[in-house]
Amino acid sequence: MARLALLSVSNKTGLIDLARSLVEEFDFDLISSGGTAQALKDAGLPVTKVADYTGSPEILGGRVKTLHPRIHGGILARRDVPQDITDLENNQIRPIDLVVVNLYPFEETIAKPGVTLSQAVEQIDIGGPAMLRASSKNFAHLAVLCDPAQYNEYLQELRQNNGEASLEFRQKAALKGFSHTASYDQAIASYLAEAQHYNLSGTQLQSLRYGENPHQPAAWYQTGSTPTGWAAATKLQGKELSYNNLVDLEAARRIIAEFTDTPAATIIKHTNPCGTALGSTISEAYQKAFNADSTSAFGGIVALNRPIDAATASELTKTFLECVVAPSCDAEAQEILGKKSNVRVLTLADLSSGSKDTVKAIAGGFLVQASDDMIADTSQWQIVTERQPTDSELAELLFAWKVCKHVKSNAIVVTSDRTTLGVGAGQMNRVGSVKIALEQAGEKAKGAILASDGFFPFDDSVRTAAAAGITAIVQPGGSLRDKDSIIAANELGLVMVLTGVRHFLH
């Protein structure tokens, strides 16, 4: 008797090719439900609808399709238990050798704006998880596939093992099945619980050599069933990514996501930007970012918001870099970068989308906050000095403010010509950050802009900035002594803008 495969998928990627190989190469019979059966039929493949196989029609608007003893008996039967085989024969149930199931797109549904609770509930799969759990439990006797990426590997198993999938493969696939249902259920629980419960789960993508330091074990996990973010990136060349690489890459992504309309480049060291710049071309933007602090750029992480071309690739090869990420990389650029085979080059088409939450572990639990993805709106800024900014100064203030948002607090950023000149990061007092940023900027501070992620509690930093040649300052405001800073700015002929928004980053 031909073997039996049950196919019931929401994501139909690769479905037809898999089904055709099962039928034509390995003599499987196919049973399928709903849209999957129709897709197979439209492709000219022989398929029996689940309703015809079970003798029970789909009911409740499709809510009940596969919840039937002829389905779950065929999945759960142990081929080495005589009573199980007798039960199958007495109930005219065929054993099922392969289950191919993926689930309703619940996470994709709730991510859409305006989705109602009732719409979300209808995307909670019931039959799919039941089949995945049943077939994963019985991996000793059948195979389960829940991801199109598994299809070719399964077919190769059949080709290499006389039409059978190895026990090792089946057990690995079962683990993936349970992981898939676990993350699916947690996504539903998180949605329904809202603020009362926060569920965090992931599937391990790979073990990392170590964490921040060699004595710290580490691993990389993907959240959700569909790869997004760095899990969806393509590594064109270079060694495996490290824990610190990934942390720095995310810091670089957050900065570069601030700039969409103009070519932009940022270079990250220890999650802080040592150089960020805009340019008329991506090559110019990178050169400006590199020249902002070429010493710190050595061994840095580079993010670009435009595809890597040959000119940019040539510049990138002039110094040692750990990682480079861009939306894409053309063939000539790849060839040039290939001469620096150790540099990790990644492409990630969507550099703008990140996690909606920030999670930090503490003793006995963890903290969750909304990510700081507020878009700066200059129309809400308050110009509090007698001197008004020119259009060019306002654009520079906005650039400095966007960069400052991603520098560890206390943060001070000095910029000119849409390029960072000095960065004071993570100091225990704001005065210290001001001094570091201005010293790094040096003579270039004359006529430049200064941004502060938090308010100035005294006027001393304003006077220090003016003495170095700063002409305009952007800061949140909100200090009881804002008036002192404003008086000093007026006295010294500076522009001062208050954003009303603080951007601490710890």
Side-chain angles (χ1 to χ4, degrees), residues 339-474:
K339 297 172 184 177
K340 292 272 191 175
S341 59
N342 285 335
V343 63
R344 302 161 176 89
V345 179
L346 297 89
T347 58
L348 180 57
D350 182 8
L351 284 164
S352 62
S353 298
S355 174
K356 295 180 180 179
D357 298 324
T358 300
V359 182
K360 290 191 177 183
I362 60 173
F366 54 89
L367 306 174
V368 181
Q369 66 172 349
S371 294
D372 187 5
D373 54 9
M374 177 179 286
I375 298 172
D377 182 1
T378 56
S379 69
Q380 301 300 310
W381 289 4
Q382 184 182 6
I383 302 167
V384 293
T385 48
E386 296 168 3
R387 191 164 84 76
Q388 301 291 296
T390 64
D391 290 344
S392 178
E393 283 178 318
L394 188 60
E396 191 71 44
L397 287 163
L398 178 60
F399 171 78
W401 182 243
K402 286 182 175 182
V403 176
C404 193
K405 171 182 174 182
H406 300 282
V407 176
K408 293 290 186 180
S409 190
N410 289 311
I412 298 292
V413 173
V414 176
T415 78
S416 179
D417 189 29
R418 314 303 188 270
T419 306
T420 55
L421 303 177
V423 178
Q427 298 305 299
M428 285 63 72
N429 65 78
R430 196 160 299 278
V431 173
S433 288
V434 170
K435 289 181 178 178
I436 289 172
L438 291 172
E439 286 174 5
Q440 187 181 12
E443 288 298 309
K444 294 180 181 178
K446 289 182 170 58
I449 299 297
L450 184 145
S452 173
D453 68 338
F455 62 64
F456 294 114
F458 305 102
D459 67 1
D460 49 358
S461 290
V462 176
R463 295 184 181 280
T464 300
I470 295 297
T471 60
I473 293 174
V474 57

Side-chain angles (χ1 to χ4, degrees), residues 58-318:
E58 293 183 9
I59 61 173
L60 308 182
R63 281 188 166 198
V64 178
K65 304 174 187 175
T66 56
L67 299 171
H68 193 281
R70 291 201 79 191
I71 297 299
H72 286 272
I75 291 174
L76 286 165
R78 294 159 292 187
R79 316 298 166 82
D80 55 355
V81 176
Q83 185 59 52
D84 284 9
I85 300 304
T86 299
D87 286 342
L88 293 184
E89 292 171 351
N90 289 342
N91 291 279
Q92 297 181 313
I93 298 173
R94 289 177 63 180
I96 294 174
D97 298 279
L98 172 66
V99 174
V100 183
V101 174
N102 54 59
L103 309 178
Y104 293 168
F106 181 81
E107 290 179 281
E108 292 87 340
T109 298
I110 61 175
K112 296 176 182 177
V115 170
T116 65
L117 176 61
S118 62
Q119 289 171 327
V121 165
E122 287 310 310
Q123 290 301 316
I124 297 176
D125 204 326
I126 302 301
M131 289 188 290
L132 274 181
R133 288 176 56 80
S135 49
S136 295
K137 174 178 179 175
N138 206 29
F139 70 84
H141 301 283
L142 76 159
V144 56
L145 308 177
C146 62
D147 184 345
Q150 297 173 291
Y151 296 172
N152 285 335
E153 186 180 359
Y154 173 73
L155 293 174
Q156 285 299 110
E157 281 279 320
L158 299 187
R159 290 168 186 140
Q160 294 170 4
N161 298 296
N162 297 316
E164 298 290 337
S166 66
L167 179 60
E168 180 183 11
F169 173 86
R170 299 198 305 270
Q171 184 170 347
K172 182 175 71 172
L175 173 59
K176 190 172 183 69
F178 281 124
S179 297
H180 188 36
T181 57
S183 62
Y184 190 79
D185 285 342
Q186 290 215 346
I188 296 168
S190 296
Y191 174 74
L192 294 177
E194 295 180 343
Q196 298 177 35
H197 298 277
Y198 190 92
N199 297 301
L200 182 65
S201 68
T203 302
Q204 184 172 315
L205 289 180
Q206 66 183 76
S207 294
L208 303 173
R209 287 181 62 198
Y210 50 79
E212 286 182 299
N213 299 290
H215 61 275
Q216 295 173 266
W220 179 9
Y221 290 82
Q222 170 191 315
T223 56
S225 56
T226 302
T228 59
W230 297 110
T234 299
K235 184 162 71 69
L236 302 180
Q237 67 172 59
K239 298 179 291 185
E240 291 298 323
L241 293 168
S242 72
Y243 179 97
N244 289 334
N245 289 158
L246 287 161
V247 171
D248 284 336
L249 280 167
E250 177 60 13
R253 185 203 63 76
R254 288 197 298 265
I255 291 183
I256 214 68
E258 295 281 353
F259 307 103
T260 57
D261 298 333
T262 305
T266 190
I267 306 173
I268 297 293
K269 288 292 288 290
H270 306 294
T271 72
N272 282 305
C274 55
T276 302
L278 308 184
S280 58
T281 66
I282 196 63
S283 177
E284 181 191 16
Y286 169 71
Q287 290 177 67
K288 289 170 67 177
F290 177 80
N291 291 332
D293 186 354
S294 58
T295 300
S296 298
F298 184 85
I301 305 289
V302 175
L304 310 168
N305 72 346
R306 295 290 188 273
I308 306 173
D309 54 22
T312 309
S314 296
E315 292 298 323
L316 290 166
T317 60
K318 291 180 180 180

